[in-house]
Amino acid sequence: MREKIFSVRKEIALIAVLPAFVITIAMLITGILFMRSGMEDEVLKGLLASAYTYRDIASHLTDREAGDNETEIALKQNAGYDFTWFDGDTRKNSSLGSSVIGTKAADSVIAAVIQGGNTFTSTNTQVAGTPYFVAYVPVKDTSGKVVSMAFTGVSRKSVEEQVFKSIIFMLIISFVLMAIAIIVAIRAAINMAGAIGAINESIQYLAKGEFKKADRFLDRNDELGEALNNTNALIEKLSSIVADIRKSAVTVNTSSTDLSDMANRISQTTEDVSNAVQEIAQGATQQAGEIQSAAENVILIGDAVGNVQSSTQDLDSLAAKMKEASEVSGKSLSSLQNSSTEMTAKIDEISETITRTQEAVTNISAKVEGITSIATQTNLLSLNASIEAARAGDAGRGFSVVAEEIGKLAEDSKVMADDIKKEMEVLLEDASAAVQAAEDVKHGNLEQQEALGETIDSINGMLEDIDSTVGGVKVISAGAEQCASSKDAVSDTMDALSAISEENAASSQETGASMQELSNTVLMLANEANDLRDISEKLNRDMEFFK
């Protein structure tokens, strides 16, 4: 900080007083010079005027004797000047006394007045051995000849005393005026310095971070008063601005903290969604495996249905032969019994095949239940992913679309699984009917064997049983054909489910990539939020400077 040599008050006082002092001295010197010269001129003019008056008065006093000085003494008492009447160039009457009566005027006066007929004035003429301010006026007769002179004079000493008194008076007045000017200048300097000090004090408080307005010199109507009021207005405005900045800093800090927390939550949510997507991918993989297994079981069902169809064809042919043999002769009873035994074995084989078909269908139904469960879980995961994507806002919009597509795929999987389940139920019903028919055929065959053992007369009943067997075989054949058709439908459904599973797996991979990108974006958002929080904290620390 610079060292303060002069205060503003001293500088202002010096600026105001020094010119006033110099001007006063210069005016005083000039005034003394001009006043002396002017007073001398005025004295001479007054003397000359008095001399003319004295000439007019004394011209009518022609009968006076030399030394009769009453008139001159009376004029001196009234005017303060000395008066002398010359008879020619010789003093006849004078207020100077009888000592000068009869003396002559100076040669220069005689030459100018008596001889030249002119007035004569001088500021330093010896009269009775004393320097005088003098004025001589010629007195002429009717012919124009100068016959007398009228003199008026005052001693130089008295004039100088009067000049000195005037100078002293002027000095006193000048010094009084200068003192008044100095007092006024000092008061003005004090007021101006006070106003500047008030401004400086407010600025010092402002430099310390305190908003303190000036409360003095506010009623001044000059630039300093305006500066004080403007300083107060500036402090008030800065106080308002700092208050707003402080509020904004607190708001930014709170918002940055909330943003950072939100970013962390979004990051956690994206991690959860990523885990859910991985689970979806695993479910899709598992679903594809289950579908593959179901497809293999469907192939087994197809093989079983083929065996059933083959067996029913053989059974149909055998029944025809049995009927033909029964109608031709009873000789065929032995062959019929053997055929009946073979038919019983075939029926057992058909029953076992249908049982395996039921078991395969049951396994397929269980797998379909697993597919339905996986589709439900996938749908739930898609819903959760959609919710989390909605929370993520614009950043999760792309993931929301992926989650919606996964939900649609899961719904389609569930619908197809339900269709498969319905087809399996129909297939189970047909298989049960086939088993029941096989049991009926077996039961009829046993009765036929018993009838063959009892009597040949039971051939007619056996023929009826054979007809019933043929009808049952037809039913079995129809059921086998239905199984074959259902097998094709199930195979098509398995292909569709396999395609859906592959799409689910691809969508899960795409979702995983999107979640990775979203996670990176959220991480950048978290970093930016932390930077914003650091900036807001620094702003708060800076605002702590202001009280």
Side-chain angles (χ1 to χ4, degrees):
M1 183 176 180
R2 294 177 58 187
E3 183 179 359
K4 183 169 67 175
I5 300 176
F6 291 101
S7 64
V8 175
R9 183 180 305 172
K10 292 181 180 179
E11 290 180 356
I12 296 175
L14 186 62
I15 292 172
V17 170
L18 185 59
F21 181 76
V22 173
I23 292 172
T24 301
I25 297 300
M27 290 180 65
L28 185 61
I29 294 172
T30 304
I32 290 173
L33 294 176
F34 281 97
M35 184 178 68
R36 176 180 290 277
S37 176
M39 288 185 69
E40 289 179 353
D41 291 339
E42 290 297 325
V43 169
L44 291 176
K45 290 178 180 179
L47 289 174
L48 188 60
S50 297
Y52 277 113
T53 302
Y54 172 53
R55 183 194 65 177
D56 294 336
I57 294 173
S59 295
H60 296 87
L61 302 174
T62 58
D63 55 349
R64 290 191 304 158
E65 296 293 334
D68 184 3
N69 304 324
E70 291 182 1
T71 302
E72 284 73 20
I73 292 172
L75 290 173
K76 181 178 180 180
Q77 290 176 351
N78 291 329
Y81 298 147
D82 284 316
F83 295 91
T84 299
W85 184 262
F86 284 83
D87 186 6
D89 57 358
T90 303
R91 293 180 178 87
K92 179 181 179 182
N93 307 102
S94 177
S95 61
L96 295 173
S98 58
S99 60
V100 298
I101 300 302
T103 60
K104 293 184 179 294
D107 293 338
S108 57
V109 175
I110 294 173
V113 178
I114 297 299
Q115 298 176 0
N118 299 316
T119 60
F120 177 83
T121 59
S122 174
T123 61
N124 190 10
T125 299
Q126 296 291 326
V127 177
T130 303
Y132 261 73
F133 280 75
V134 298
Y136 292 88
V137 176
V139 179
K140 300 177 181 179
D141 58 10
T142 57
S143 62
K145 181 180 178 181
V146 177
V147 295
S148 299
M149 290 187 300
F151 163 81
T152 304
V154 63
S155 66
R156 185 174 180 84
K157 182 179 178 181
S158 63
V159 173
E160 288 181 350
E161 288 177 354
Q162 186 64 35
V163 171
F164 181 74
K165 290 179 181 179
S166 299
I167 290 173
I168 294 299
F169 179 76
M170 187 175 67
L171 285 174
I172 293 172
I173 295 299
S174 298
F175 283 116
V176 169
L177 292 176
M178 187 172 66
I180 293 173
I182 291 173
I183 292 173
V184 172
I186 291 175
R187 286 182 60 85
I190 292 173
N191 289 332
M192 293 175 67
I196 295 173
I199 296 174
N200 187 42
E201 182 180 2
S202 298
I203 294 175
Q204 286 178 347
Y205 278 106
L206 184 62
K208 296 177 183 178
E210 299 180 12
F211 298 103
K212 183 178 180 181
K213 295 191 293 185
D215 55 359
R216 299 177 299 162
F217 307 103
L218 297 177
D219 55 348
R220 292 178 64 96
N221 295 323
D222 55 3
E223 287 79 0
L224 289 176
E226 184 178 0
L228 272 170
N229 287 286
N230 291 335
T231 301
N232 286 345
L234 175 62
I235 291 173
E236 184 175 359
K237 186 64 175 178
L238 286 176
S239 178
S240 176
I241 292 173
V242 169
D244 293 339
I245 292 175
R246 186 178 285 112
K247 291 180 182 178
S248 299
V250 173
T251 302
V252 170
N253 190 18
T254 303
S255 299
S256 62
T257 302
D258 294 339
L259 182 61
S260 179
D261 294 338
M262 184 181 296
N264 292 329
R265 289 197 300 269
I266 292 174
S267 179
Q268 183 63 36
T269 301
T270 54
E271 184 176 356
D272 295 339
V273 173
S274 180
N275 294 331
V277 170
Q278 291 179 358
E279 293 179 0
I280 292 173
Q282 293 176 357
T285 303
Q286 183 179 359
Q287 184 181 17
E290 295 292 340
I291 292 172
Q292 184 65 29
S293 177
E296 294 176 355
N297 291 327
V298 168
I299 294 174
L300 295 176
I301 292 174
D303 294 338
V305 169
N307 292 331
V308 170
Q309 287 179 333
S310 177
S311 298
T312 53
Q313 291 175 359
D314 293 340
L315 184 60
D316 189 25
S317 176
L318 181 59
K321 291 178 180 179
M322 288 174 62
K323 184 177 181 180
E324 183 181 356
S326 296
E327 291 175 351
V328 172
S329 114
K331 293 187 293 183
S332 301
L333 289 176
S334 179
S335 177
L336 179 59
Q337 187 174 12
N338 293 332
S339 297
S340 178
T341 301
E342 185 179 356
M343 184 180 64
T344 300
K346 294 294 185 181
I347 290 173
D348 290 334
E349 185 179 352
I350 291 170
S351 180
E352 290 175 359
T353 302
I354 294 174
T355 300
R356 287 195 302 272
T357 301
Q358 285 180 325
E359 291 176 354
V361 171
T362 302
N363 290 333
I364 293 172
S365 180
K367 299 298 182 181
V368 170
E369 288 291 336
I371 293 171
T372 303
S373 177
I374 291 172
T376 302
Q377 292 178 1
T378 303
N379 198 7
L380 290 175
L381 290 174
S382 174
L383 179 60
N384 291 331
S386 298
I387 293 172
E388 294 300 330
R391 290 180 180 176
D394 294 335
R397 185 174 298 171
F399 180 71
S400 175
V401 175
V402 175
E404 184 178 359
E405 292 298 325
I406 292 174
K408 291 180 179 180
L409 293 174
E411 188 67 26
D412 294 337
S413 298
K414 184 177 179 181
V415 171
M416 290 183 179
D418 290 337
D419 293 337
I420 293 172
K421 186 176 180 181
K422 291 178 181 179
E423 295 295 333
M424 291 297 102
E425 289 176 356
V426 173
L427 185 60
L428 285 173
E429 291 177 359
D430 293 337
S432 298
V435 170
Q436 184 63 39
E439 290 293 330
D440 293 338
V441 171
K442 183 177 180 181
H443 181 70
N445 194 25
L446 291 174
E447 290 179 353
Q448 182 182 14
Q449 288 179 358
E450 291 177 357
L452 286 173
E454 291 176 355
T455 181
I456 193 65
D457 294 334
S458 300
I459 291 175
N460 293 328
M462 185 180 64
L463 290 174
E464 294 177 357
D465 291 336
I466 291 172
D467 290 335
S468 298
T469 300
V470 171
V473 169
K474 290 180 180 180
V475 173
I476 292 173
S477 179
E481 292 178 357
Q482 183 66 38
C483 286
S485 177
S486 299
K487 185 264 295 183
D488 295 335
V490 170
S491 179
D492 294 337
T493 302
M494 290 300 103
D495 292 338
L497 285 176
S498 179
I500 292 173
S501 297
E502 291 177 357
E503 291 179 0
N504 286 341
S507 298
S508 298
Q509 292 177 356
E510 183 178 355
T511 302
S514 299
M515 290 308 303
Q516 183 65 33
E517 182 179 356
L518 178 61
S519 178
N520 294 333
T521 302
V522 171
L523 182 60
M524 292 176 61
L525 178 62
N527 293 331
E528 293 295 333
N530 291 330
D531 293 340
L532 180 61
R533 183 173 58 189
D534 294 339
I535 293 172
S536 64
E537 290 176 354
K538 183 178 182 302
L539 182 59
N540 283 325
R541 290 194 298 270
D542 293 338
M543 286 299 102
E544 291 175 357
F545 173 76
F546 297 99
K547 308 299 185 291

